[in-house]
Amino acid sequence: MKCMEKLRRLSACLLLVLFTITITACGKDGTGQVGENRETSENSGLVTVGYVQSGTGSAWSLANVESIQQNCTEENGIKLIYEVANDDFDTQLEIVRSFIEQKVDLISFTPMVSEGWDDVLKEAKEAGIPVIVMDRMVETGDDSLYNCWIGSNFLLEGYKAADWLVDYMDSLNLGKDMYKVALFQGNLGASAETGRTQGVEEILGAEGNYKIVYKDTGNFSYDGGVENMKKVLKKKLDIDILIAENDDMALGAIEVMEKNGIKPGKDIIILSFDGIKAAFEAMIEGKINCVMECNPLTGKLLANAVQTVMNGDPISKRNYVQEEIFPADTAADYIENRKY
Ligand code: GYE
């Protein structure tokens, strides 16, 4: 990787760290809507949390929901109202508005897309209801509209994954001047998509010998992987590499490749994101070459953050989860301990 590129990314990471520390130091005034004097739900003493997941079309999101349900429990002082928006942004907004009408103590959600949240967040703020954003980010003109965010550094995931790819392709010594890449994106406008797309494109672009010959959304779903792979074959693009922004899409694409006599992981190098068990199995079978992990087990962090926010204690604005990269030759060592 080029030296300037490394320096640039290092400073981007440092800035993120500094930003997080600064916000921690700002304490509870960071939002202006901490529920310090709010009564928790009448009678029960529990904090009522309205949570809406954007969709459950991937194994990752199912694991994420399960983690939230297992941790946001009455034993942990939380009465969880769980909803899912079936990947429809307007539905998700409506559900958040219904939480405001129900006067829940705290609202949390995984935004379907990053933009378009300002109005409803202002309504929550006016109603004095704190907000914790999960997983994907919101882009608002005013960060005080939510208390904190918990999730992954998607841009860094993109960088790490593409860095691995470049090293791996170099190690294969195929003697090609140019590698043709298909990029299957997640839901367009979700920060999990925009971050990964940007990270991958920046690194491959800087290398000069990678050409993205196909780029389209598969909406983070298995079927999206199937449809896109069929298109790639129909267009006879003769790709060397598939980058799928989640495992489900990679697995869908693998099905199509195999039906067409193409050996996934060999004829086409495959890199994907998330790290679900099925992807580890595919790596062991030699069908996926590498997985960049994205950790969905954030339910405990949410449960803790709910208590922190409700107590009016300081909390970092952005809370990143730890994630690793798993090349196929490490999969057998880790598969037993995969929790999702
Ligand atoms: O990678 C994908 C899911 O937002 C991180 O959404 C999440 C992504 C995840 O549907 O599988």
Side-chain angles (χ1 to χ4, degrees), residues 107-306:
I107 292 172
S108 181
F109 59 92
T110 293
M112 163 81 200
V113 287
S114 309
E115 291 178 2
W117 287 95
D118 286 59
D119 287 348
V120 76
L121 288 177
K122 276 181 201 149
E123 292 162 32
K125 188 173 183 176
E126 273 157 26
I129 303 177
V131 171
I132 299 178
V133 181
M134 294 296 290
D135 167 27
R136 303 173 185 176
M137 279 191 180
V138 289
E139 266 172 40
T140 58
D142 172 5
D143 268 1
S144 80
L145 291 177
Y146 61 95
N147 292 68
C148 67
W149 165 88
I150 300 168
S152 308
N153 189 333
F154 301 115
L155 180 61
L156 197 60
E157 286 179 0
Y159 286 149
K160 281 192 193 170
D163 274 343
W164 174 86
L165 182 68
V166 169
D167 288 347
Y168 183 69
M169 296 312 287
D170 283 352
S171 77
L172 291 181
N173 245 322
L174 298 177
K176 284 199 175 186
D177 295 340
M178 188 63 79
Y179 296 115
K180 288 187 257 174
V181 182
L183 176 61
F184 294 179
Q185 297 161 283
N187 298 103
L188 297 180
S191 65
E193 177 274 312
T194 54
R196 289 170 187 166
T197 302
Q198 184 189 335
V200 162
E201 286 187 333
E202 274 184 35
I203 300 293
L204 298 189
E207 287 300 315
N209 57 337
Y210 290 83
K211 188 164 186 215
I212 298 183
V213 294
Y214 181 95
K215 177 179 162 189
D216 204 350
T217 180
N219 290 317
F220 285 131
S221 77
Y222 187 95
D223 291 348
V226 169
E227 288 318 311
N228 278 300
M229 195 60 219
K230 282 184 181 165
K231 283 189 201 158
V232 168
L233 293 183
K234 197 162 173 215
K235 287 171 185 267
K236 299 198 186 335
L237 293 174
D238 191 26
I239 58 167
D240 303 295
I241 297 162
L242 167 64
I243 301 176
E245 288 180 3
N246 85 346
D247 294 333
D248 301 71
M249 292 190 291
L251 295 169
I254 286 172
E255 185 194 304
V256 177
M257 289 180 200
E258 290 185 323
K259 278 190 184 149
N260 286 275
I262 298 167
K263 289 200 191 77
K266 294 187 183 64
D267 299 336
I268 297 175
I269 303 301
I270 303 181
L271 169 63
S272 71
F273 294 79
D274 278 359
I276 62 173
K277 256 209 169 125
F280 273 71
E281 279 157 12
M283 283 200 281
I284 289 170
E285 289 167 11
K287 297 179 182 179
I288 292 182
N289 304 79
C290 181
V291 166
M292 177 65 227
E293 179 183 42
C294 179
N295 189 349
L297 307 178
T298 49
K300 190 156 190 227
L301 295 175
L302 174 59
N304 291 343
V306 166

Side-chain angles (χ1 to χ4, degrees), residues 56-69:
T56 46
S58 70
W60 189 97
S61 51
L62 290 173
N64 184 234
V65 166
E66 195 178 287
S67 169
I68 288 172
Q69 289 177 326

